[in-house]
Amino acid sequence: MFRTALRNVLAHKARLLMTVLAVMLGVAFVSGTLVFTSTISDAYRKSSEKGFTGVDVAIQIDRKEGGKAGPGAPKLTQGLLDRAASVPGVASVSASVAGSAAIADKHGELVGHGFSTQGGNYYAGKDGKDARYPLKDGRAPRTADEVALDSKTADRAGYKVGDTVRLSVDGPVLEQKVTGVFTTDDGNVAAGGSLALFDTATAQKLYAKPGEYSEILVKAQQGESQSALKAAIEKILPPGADAVTGKTLADDQAAAVEEGMGNMRTALLGFAAVALFVGVFIIANTFTMLVSQRTKEIALLRAVGASRRQVTRSVLVEALVVGAVAAVAGLVIGIGIGAALHPLMRSTGMLVPDGPLVVPPTAV
């Protein structure tokens, strides 16, 4: 009966084609969606983690206490930065001032499509460099009319060192001279956002107050754990301030990007669900026709001694063979779809970080 079931599968290739296609397309749609979204999410997560490799602990305003704009919110001042630098186990400290900076390209269009238009400061260390933002071309901004752009934004907008860029920082449009182009592992930039850096004094005037910072970043000495350094930093913090490990910061940023990817995954899986729903009826109708067309064949099997259970089992074996072959083929095609969508998105101008192909267990 097993050999008979296999011969039936091979003998009716044309009749089984619709069933094979229905199973294959349904599986390919679902698995391709899961492979693609998992690959992109993993790339964003790794990009976020890489962006915080130089940060072991960050001192921030605790929004649970007073909030960034709360009346009792603490001030992250130069004095606090100096105290953090003297904590045992600290290798170096830097500070950031962050806000929004909408950059216009040479045609006046917004760069980054509003995904994440960030502004910040270039905090030069003792060597005159900011390890977070390695310069690819030019130099760091030094005066109020200068700015540095991330390399992805500069490439998209066609800016180079020496050009004048128009940008808005919660107020009038500014015209800044581009003095440098830098690289960054910031997950938001990798996801299609933009980042403009000013000198620290200018950034403080735009986003905070002179002498104040949005965040103080601490790097631990070799062998010092993030959790131990966090506990030591907490002892010098004023009320309303909080210390957060670099791993937590990376996880939070990755989670924010993952939430956005979740919306895309839900939409694509919705189409896949429709395809599977339609496929169920195609498969059921096709098998119904296949069985009804073989009434004489089944009757002959019964006449020569096959039991009802054996006949039923032969049909189920036939369904299993067809389903397994079509499902495996659909999985392979789905993996190919997931791999092809990555470069396709990049070719259409959408910025997604590079990363290895991820085939999650859920796709299988």
Side-chain angles (χ1 to χ4, degrees):
M1 290 302 295
F2 180 73
R3 290 196 298 270
T4 301
L6 290 180
R7 281 198 296 269
N8 283 333
V9 173
L10 297 176
H12 305 104
K13 300 183 184 70
R15 291 190 298 186
L16 290 173
L17 182 60
M18 288 180 62
T19 304
V20 171
L21 286 176
V23 175
M24 187 172 63
L25 291 176
V27 172
F29 207 156
V30 175
S31 60
T33 297
L34 294 173
V35 168
F36 171 66
T37 54
S38 296
T39 298
I40 297 299
S41 297
D42 182 73
Y44 283 140
R45 181 179 56 79
K46 290 182 177 179
S47 178
S48 298
E49 291 175 352
K50 190 176 180 181
F52 289 101
T53 52
V55 179
D56 291 298
V57 176
I59 300 175
Q60 302 175 331
I61 296 172
D62 189 349
R63 290 180 173 81
K64 295 179 181 178
E65 294 290 335
K68 189 174 182 179
K75 307 298 182 184
L76 304 184
T77 63
Q78 184 66 38
L80 179 58
L81 186 146
D82 294 337
R83 290 198 299 275
S86 64
V87 172
V90 172
S92 63
V93 294
S94 61
S96 68
V97 185
S100 173
I103 302 172
D105 61 19
K106 293 185 177 181
H107 303 288
E109 298 294 330
L110 177 66
V111 179
H113 307 289
F115 175 81
S116 178
T117 51
Q118 304 174 93
N121 68 310
Y122 187 94
Y123 190 92
K126 294 180 180 179
D127 58 355
K129 299 178 180 179
D130 190 332
R132 299 172 299 170
Y133 309 114
L135 286 168
K136 182 179 179 181
D137 190 19
R139 60 170 177 83
R142 298 171 184 165
T143 62
D145 60 348
E146 295 179 345
V147 71
L149 301 178
D150 71 89
S151 58
K152 294 182 182 296
T153 297
D155 290 341
R156 278 181 290 168
Y159 288 121
K160 60 183 183 299
V161 173
D163 288 344
T164 299
V165 58
R166 300 175 71 246
L167 50 86
S168 174
V169 184
D170 295 331
V173 174
L174 304 177
E175 292 192 355
Q176 307 286 114
K177 180 181 178 181
V178 179
T179 62
V181 175
F182 61 90
T183 59
T184 177
D185 295 313
D186 189 310
N188 289 318
V189 175
S194 62
L195 177 60
L197 297 180
F198 307 89
D199 67 285
T200 298
T202 300
Q204 287 175 331
K205 292 178 182 178
L206 293 173
Y207 301 123
K209 293 181 180 179
E212 295 183 5
Y213 301 101
S214 304
E215 191 174 45
I216 296 175
L217 309 173
V218 183
K219 182 174 178 58
Q221 294 177 357
Q222 189 172 4
E224 185 79 8
S225 69
Q226 290 189 356
S227 57
L229 184 61
K230 175 179 179 291
I233 291 291
E234 287 175 339
K235 296 178 182 179
I236 67 165
L237 297 182
D242 190 24
V244 184
T245 63
K247 183 181 184 304
T248 300
L249 292 174
D251 290 344
D252 289 346
Q253 188 178 86
V257 177
E258 174 68 23
E259 184 178 353
M261 291 302 300
N263 296 331
M264 178 187 295
R265 183 186 295 112
T266 300
L268 292 175
L269 286 177
F271 289 109
V274 173
L276 287 175
F277 183 73
V278 174
V280 166
F281 291 100
I282 295 175
I283 294 167
N285 289 334
T286 302
F287 259 86
T288 299
M289 289 187 294
L290 288 175
V291 174
S292 62
Q293 289 174 358
R294 282 155 44 195
T295 302
K296 293 182 179 180
E297 180 183 323
I298 293 173
L300 180 60
L301 289 174
R302 294 281 282 134
V304 297
S307 67
R308 179 175 298 178
R309 178 175 296 180
Q310 286 178 313
V311 172
T312 303
R313 190 178 300 163
S314 69
V315 175
L316 293 178
V317 169
E318 181 181 340
L320 177 63
V321 172
V322 173
V325 172
V328 171
L331 176 62
V332 173
I333 294 173
I335 293 173
I337 291 173
L341 282 176
H342 197 173
L344 180 62
M345 289 184 66
R346 298 179 72 90
S347 67
T348 59
M350 296 182 67
L351 293 180
V352 290
D354 293 323
L357 183 68
V358 177
V359 183
T362 50
V364 180

